[in-house]
């Protein structure tokens, strides 16, 4: 979808079903510490932390993932899938989110992130710093 979307926007502009009037929440990821967790990273954040999108892309999954809890998967324009876990989502399936926009709120003081491309797990340290 992202290849088609990028081609469409390059040739014709914004897709007609995109919501142009969404409120702006433009934040960077902030955490107090981190450690490796399964395929990704565990971030220590404030309780009820407002989780921003790390990049721009399409929401492809919302639901439970074993060992991660409630998870939102965003497929970024770069081809990387980012899992945001242990959150209460503020978005819907197939929403288009921009970098810095609100994904959801942490359920406690921990969120989990996983980065994948073409089914391969990526090094989280390249994306959280």
């Amino acid at each position: 979808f992202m290849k088609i979307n990028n081609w469409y926007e390059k040739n014709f502009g914004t897709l007609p079903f995109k919501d142009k009037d969404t409120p702006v929440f433009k934040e960077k990821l902030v955490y107090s510490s981190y450690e490796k967790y399964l395929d990704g990273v565990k971030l220590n954040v404030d309780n009820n932390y407002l989780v921003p999108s790390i990049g721009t892309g399409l929401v492809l999954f919302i639901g439970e993932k074993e060992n991660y809890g409630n998870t939102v998967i965003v497929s970024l324009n770069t081809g990387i899938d980012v899992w945001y876990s242990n959150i209460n989502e503020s978005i819907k399936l197939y929403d288009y989110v921009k970098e810095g926009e609100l994904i959801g709120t942490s359920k406690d003081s921990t969120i989990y992130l996983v980065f994948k491309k073409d089914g391969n797990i990526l090094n989280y340290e390249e994306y959280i710093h």
Side-chain angles (χ1 to χ4, degrees):
F1 176 82
M2 298 321 297
K3 287 180 183 178
I4 295 169
N5 178 62
N6 292 339
W7 173 84
Y8 186 94
E9 287 186 352
K10 179 180 172 187
N11 292 296
F12 303 107
T14 303
L15 288 168
F17 59 81
K18 286 188 181 175
D19 185 1
K20 295 179 179 110
D21 297 322
T22 54
V24 176
F25 171 84
K26 187 81 170 147
E27 297 294 327
K28 296 280 185 198
L29 191 63
V30 177
Y31 52 91
S32 58
S33 63
Y34 67 92
E35 62 186 73
K36 179 160 180 40
Y37 180 81
L38 300 176
D39 292 339
V41 62
K42 172 184 171 183
L43 302 178
N44 293 310
V45 296
D46 292 335
N47 279 325
N48 300 312
Y49 175 69
L50 301 176
V51 181
S53 179
I54 289 174
T56 299
L58 185 72
V59 178
L60 292 184
F61 177 87
I62 297 176
E64 290 291 316
K65 288 284 189 182
E66 189 176 347
N67 299 315
Y68 290 99
N70 193 51
T71 299
V72 173
I73 299 176
V74 177
S75 181
L76 303 182
N77 291 350
T78 60
I80 296 171
D81 292 340
V82 182
W83 297 23
Y84 302 86
S85 299
N86 196 39
I87 66 170
N88 295 310
E89 74 276 357
S90 298
I91 53 180
K92 297 183 294 294
L93 194 60
Y94 306 122
D95 275 356
Y96 185 80
V97 294
K98 293 183 180 174
E99 183 175 348
E101 286 186 348
L102 182 65
I103 296 291
T105 307
S106 65
K107 289 188 172 192
D108 50 35
S109 62
T110 302
I111 59 172
Y112 305 103
L113 299 178
V114 175
F115 300 88
K116 290 187 174 186
K117 185 169 186 173
D118 299 325
N120 298 311
I121 298 164
L122 303 176
N123 180 0
Y124 63 83
E125 290 185 337
E126 297 179 28
Y127 303 99
I128 65 169
H129 295 296

